[in-house]
Amino acid sequence: MPDQPCNSLPLLAPSKARLALGGSCYWCLEAVYQSLKGVDAVHQGWVAAEPPDSDFHEAVVVDYDPSRLPMDVLIEIHLHTHHATSGHALRQRYRSAVYVQNQVHAQLARQVLTQLQDEFDSPLVTQVLPLAAFRDSKLAYHDYFYTDPSRPFCERWITPKLKLLLDRFSEVTDGERLAQAGVNKASLPSQRCS
């Protein structure tokens, strides 16, 4: 497993970490991780693992500060903000996965998935795979939610996930940023995304 795959991504400072996450559209994933304290950058596009999983799937690559936002919390948020137990027909486009850059992170990710399985009624379908390649999405799609949170897609699909962040993960959620986008606990019905 390479330590620095994905040459199109910026180099990380030694104190930072990188994880890619897939499972739903990159607009949804991007908004979730942009709304967390300790996330430095979110790169949306397509990621691929090593063969036999080398086909590209929509995902985000998250650059974060592990001293402020531990990897296990990122994975827990991921599991609760997409259908992590569903083998639905769109899995060919939206692979439920945690993409890692080294064996230490792979082992930790597998342990987290095992520990969190009891929070779900059905088996998790989320895989742990090596992050081998990244292709950026079109610039026009970047920062999709925060450029216009009132888009119907944002209100229907993204806002409930952000509400879940406020309800369940408030200690790592940037509530001020969400409030500026019109997202707060009082304004939304509760919805579980997983």
Side-chain angles (χ1 to χ4, degrees), residues 13 15 26 30 38 40 43 46 54 66 69 77 124-125 160 170:
S15 63
Y26 50 57
E30 177 189 57
D40 298 323
H43 313 277
W46 293 268
S54 57
L69 185 61
I77 288 168
L124 293 169
V125 298
S170 60

Side-chain angles (χ1 to χ4, degrees), residues 126-147:
T126 307
Q127 300 172 275
V128 177
L129 299 168
L131 175 58
F134 172 77
R135 290 192 321 219
D136 201 16
S137 64
K138 292 180 181 181
L139 188 58
Y141 298 143
H142 290 203
D143 204 26
Y144 188 79
F145 175 80
Y146 281 104
T147 56

Side-chain angles (χ1 to χ4, degrees), residues 134-168:
F134 172 77
R135 290 192 321 219
D136 201 16
S137 64
K138 292 180 181 181
L139 188 58
Y141 298 143
H142 290 203
D143 204 26
Y144 188 79
F145 175 80
Y146 281 104
T147 56
D148 186 359
S150 65
R151 289 180 177 112
F153 181 89
C154 295
E155 290 179 347
R156 170 75 171 105
W157 298 107
I158 300 174
T159 300
K161 295 173 190 232
L162 301 178
K163 166 73 164 74
L164 185 138
L165 288 180
L166 287 171
D167 287 343
R168 187 174 178 127

Side-chain angles (χ1 to χ4, degrees), residues 159 162-171 173 175 178-179 182-191:
T159 300
L162 301 178
K163 166 73 164 74
L164 185 138
L165 288 180
L166 287 171
D167 287 343
R168 187 174 178 127
F169 301 100
S170 60
E171 67 283 354
T173 301
L178 286 173
V183 178
N184 57 61
K185 287 183 180 184
S187 68
L188 303 166
S190 183
Q191 176 178 336

Side-chain angles (χ1 to χ4, degrees), residues 76-145:
E76 182 178 9
I77 288 168
H78 181 55
L79 296 177
H80 286 282
T81 56
H82 82 286
H83 296 286
T85 61
S86 173
H88 59 73
L90 294 177
R91 280 290 170 237
Q92 290 185 345
R93 182 175 179 138
Y94 307 127
R95 175 189 288 145
S96 180
V98 176
Y99 298 87
V100 296
Q101 292 191 283
N102 59 55
Q103 289 297 335
V104 172
H105 286 171
Q107 182 178 358
L108 176 59
R110 286 185 193 98
Q111 288 172 349
V112 171
L113 292 176
T114 298
Q115 291 167 354
L116 294 175
Q117 176 59 64
D118 289 342
E119 294 184 22
F120 298 88
D121 295 333
S122 299
L124 293 169
V125 298
T126 307
Q127 300 172 275
V128 177
L129 299 168
L131 175 58
F134 172 77
R135 290 192 321 219
D136 201 16
S137 64
K138 292 180 181 181
L139 188 58
Y141 298 143
H142 290 203
D143 204 26
Y144 188 79
F145 175 80

